[in-house]
PDB file of all heavy atoms in Angstrom:
ATOM      1  N   SER O  50      96.554 144.802 195.212  1.00 98.00           N
ATOM      2  CA  SER O  50      97.550 144.990 194.156  1.00 98.00           C
ATOM      3  C   SER O  50      96.989 144.696 192.783  1.00 98.00           C
ATOM      4  O   SER O  50      97.727 144.653 191.803  1.00 98.00           O
ATOM      5  CB  SER O  50      98.755 144.073 194.424  1.00 98.00           C
ATOM      6  OG  SER O  50      98.343 142.730 194.574  1.00 98.00           O
ATOM      7  N   PHE O  51      95.666 144.536 192.699  1.00 97.00           N
ATOM      8  CA  PHE O  51      95.055 144.168 191.423  1.00 97.00           C
ATOM      9  C   PHE O  51      94.963 145.336 190.458  1.00 97.00           C
ATOM     10  O   PHE O  51      94.441 145.188 189.353  1.00 97.00           O
ATOM     11  CB  PHE O  51      93.668 143.543 191.644  1.00 97.00           C
ATOM     12  CG  PHE O  51      92.835 144.207 192.705  1.00 97.00           C
ATOM     13  CD1 PHE O  51      92.102 145.340 192.439  1.00 97.00           C
ATOM     14  CD2 PHE O  51      92.800 143.669 193.990  1.00 97.00           C
ATOM     15  CE1 PHE O  51      91.341 145.945 193.416  1.00 97.00           C
ATOM     16  CE2 PHE O  51      92.038 144.271 194.979  1.00 97.00           C
ATOM     17  CZ  PHE O  51      91.303 145.416 194.692  1.00 97.00           C
ATOM     18  N   TYR O  52      95.476 146.501 190.841  1.00 97.00           N
ATOM     19  CA  TYR O  52      95.517 147.639 189.913  1.00 97.00           C
ATOM     20  C   TYR O  52      96.733 147.573 188.997  1.00 97.00           C
ATOM     21  O   TYR O  52      96.848 148.370 188.054  1.00 97.00           O
ATOM     22  CB  TYR O  52      95.514 148.964 190.683  1.00 97.00           C
ATOM     23  CG  TYR O  52      96.732 149.194 191.548  1.00 97.00           C
ATOM     24  CD1 TYR O  52      97.816 149.930 191.068  1.00 97.00           C
ATOM     25  CD2 TYR O  52      96.804 148.666 192.827  1.00 97.00           C
ATOM     26  CE1 TYR O  52      98.944 150.126 191.848  1.00 97.00           C
ATOM     27  CE2 TYR O  52      97.924 148.865 193.622  1.00 97.00           C
ATOM     28  CZ  TYR O  52      98.983 149.596 193.129  1.00 97.00           C
ATOM     29  OH  TYR O  52     100.105 149.778 193.915  1.00 97.00           O
ATOM     30  N   VAL O  53      97.650 146.649 189.263  1.00 98.00           N
ATOM     31  CA  VAL O  53      98.754 146.377 188.351  1.00 98.00           C
ATOM     32  C   VAL O  53      98.616 144.934 187.863  1.00 98.00           C
ATOM     33  O   VAL O  53      97.838 144.150 188.402  1.00 98.00           O
ATOM     34  CB  VAL O  53     100.127 146.581 189.035  1.00 98.00           C
ATOM     35  CG1 VAL O  53     100.344 148.036 189.386  1.00 98.00           C
ATOM     36  CG2 VAL O  53     100.264 145.700 190.275  1.00 98.00           C
ATOM     37  N   HIS O  54      99.387 144.593 186.847  1.00 98.00           N
ATOM     38  CA  HIS O  54      99.280 143.251 186.286  1.00 98.00           C
ATOM     39  C   HIS O  54      99.832 142.215 187.262  1.00 98.00           C
ATOM     40  O   HIS O  54     100.929 142.365 187.807  1.00 98.00           O
ATOM     41  CB  HIS O  54     100.015 143.178 184.951  1.00 98.00           C
ATOM     42  CG  HIS O  54      99.330 143.945 183.871  1.00 98.00           C
ATOM     43  ND1 HIS O  54      98.206 143.492 183.226  1.00 98.00           N
ATOM     44  CD2 HIS O  54      99.596 145.170 183.331  1.00 98.00           C
ATOM     45  CE1 HIS O  54      97.813 144.369 182.334  1.00 98.00           C
ATOM     46  NE2 HIS O  54      98.639 145.401 182.382  1.00 98.00           N
ATOM     47  N   GLN O  55      99.049 141.177 187.471  1.00 98.00           N
ATOM     48  CA  GLN O  55      99.441 140.071 188.339  1.00 98.00           C
ATOM     49  C   GLN O  55      98.635 138.848 187.914  1.00 98.00           C
ATOM     50  O   GLN O  55      97.630 138.962 187.221  1.00 98.00           O
ATOM     51  CB  GLN O  55      99.170 140.398 189.811  1.00 98.00           C
ATOM     52  CG  GLN O  55      97.709 140.710 190.108  1.00 98.00           C
ATOM     53  CD  GLN O  55      97.436 140.986 191.581  1.00 98.00           C
ATOM     54  OE1 GLN O  55      98.325 141.329 192.352  1.00 98.00           O
ATOM     55  NE2 GLN O  55      96.190 140.833 191.994  1.00 98.00           N
ATOM     56  N   CYS O  56      99.068 137.692 188.335  1.00 98.00           N
ATOM     57  CA  CYS O  56      98.341 136.480 187.983  1.00 98.00           C
ATOM     58  C   CYS O  56      98.881 135.314 188.797  1.00 98.00           C
ATOM     59  O   CYS O  56      99.890 135.423 189.498  1.00 98.00           O
ATOM     60  CB  CYS O  56      98.451 136.170 186.487  1.00 98.00           C
ATOM     61  SG  CYS O  56     100.140 135.891 185.900  1.00 98.00           S
ATOM     62  N   VAL O  57      98.187 134.211 188.703  1.00 98.00           N
ATOM     63  CA  VAL O  57      98.655 132.922 189.209  1.00 98.00           C
ATOM     64  C   VAL O  57      98.699 131.969 188.031  1.00 98.00           C
ATOM     65  O   VAL O  57      97.765 131.935 187.210  1.00 98.00           O
ATOM     66  CB  VAL O  57      97.726 132.381 190.316  1.00 98.00           C
ATOM     67  CG1 VAL O  57      97.952 130.894 190.550  1.00 98.00           C
ATOM     68  CG2 VAL O  57      97.933 133.166 191.617  1.00 98.00           C
ATOM     69  N   ILE O  58      99.791 131.234 187.918  1.00 98.00           N
ATOM     70  CA  ILE O  58      99.932 130.269 186.832  1.00 98.00           C
ATOM     71  C   ILE O  58      99.800 128.867 187.393  1.00 98.00           C
ATOM     72  O   ILE O  58     100.457 128.513 188.388  1.00 98.00           O
ATOM     73  CB  ILE O  58     101.295 130.403 186.119  1.00 98.00           C
ATOM     74  CG1 ILE O  58     101.536 131.849 185.674  1.00 98.00           C
ATOM     75  CG2 ILE O  58     101.364 129.459 184.927  1.00 98.00           C
ATOM     76  CD1 ILE O  58     102.408 132.654 186.608  1.00 98.00           C
ATOM     77  N   VAL O  59      98.923 128.084 186.785  1.00 98.00           N
ATOM     78  CA  VAL O  59      98.795 126.661 187.118  1.00 98.00           C
ATOM     79  C   VAL O  59      99.416 125.886 185.973  1.00 98.00           C
ATOM     80  O   VAL O  59      98.906 125.905 184.837  1.00 98.00           O
ATOM     81  CB  VAL O  59      97.324 126.257 187.315  1.00 98.00           C
ATOM     82  CG1 VAL O  59      97.235 124.766 187.635  1.00 98.00           C
ATOM     83  CG2 VAL O  59      96.682 127.086 188.424  1.00 98.00           C
ATOM     84  N   GLY O  60     100.526 125.239 186.256  1.00 98.00           N
ATOM     85  CA  GLY O  60     101.191 124.412 185.262  1.00 98.00           C
ATOM     86  C   GLY O  60     100.725 122.972 185.347  1.00 98.00           C
ATOM     87  O   GLY O  60      99.844 122.626 186.140  1.00 98.00           O
ATOM     88  N   PRO O  61     101.321 122.095 184.575  1.00 96.00           N
ATOM     89  CA  PRO O  61     100.886 120.693 184.560  1.00 96.00           C
ATOM     90  C   PRO O  61     101.221 119.936 185.836  1.00 96.00           C
ATOM     91  O   PRO O  61     100.564 118.941 186.156  1.00 96.00           O
ATOM     92  CB  PRO O  61     101.625 120.108 183.351  1.00 96.00           C
ATOM     93  CG  PRO O  61     102.803 121.017 183.144  1.00 96.00           C
ATOM     94  CD  PRO O  61     102.361 122.368 183.564  1.00 96.00           C
ATOM     95  N   THR O  62     102.230 120.396 186.579  1.00 96.00           N
ATOM     96  CA  THR O  62     102.619 119.735 187.827  1.00 96.00           C
ATOM     97  C   THR O  62     103.033 120.802 188.840  1.00 96.00           C
ATOM     98  O   THR O  62     103.276 121.958 188.494  1.00 96.00           O
ATOM     99  CB  THR O  62     103.797 118.766 187.609  1.00 96.00           C
ATOM    100  OG1 THR O  62     104.920 119.497 187.098  1.00 96.00           O
ATOM    101  CG2 THR O  62     103.417 117.650 186.638  1.00 96.00           C
TER     102      THR O  62
END
Side-chain angles (χ1 to χ4, degrees):
S50 54
F51 40 82
Y52 64 95
V53 294
H54 290 283
Q55 59 178 21
C56 61
V57 163
I58 307 98
V59 179
T62 60

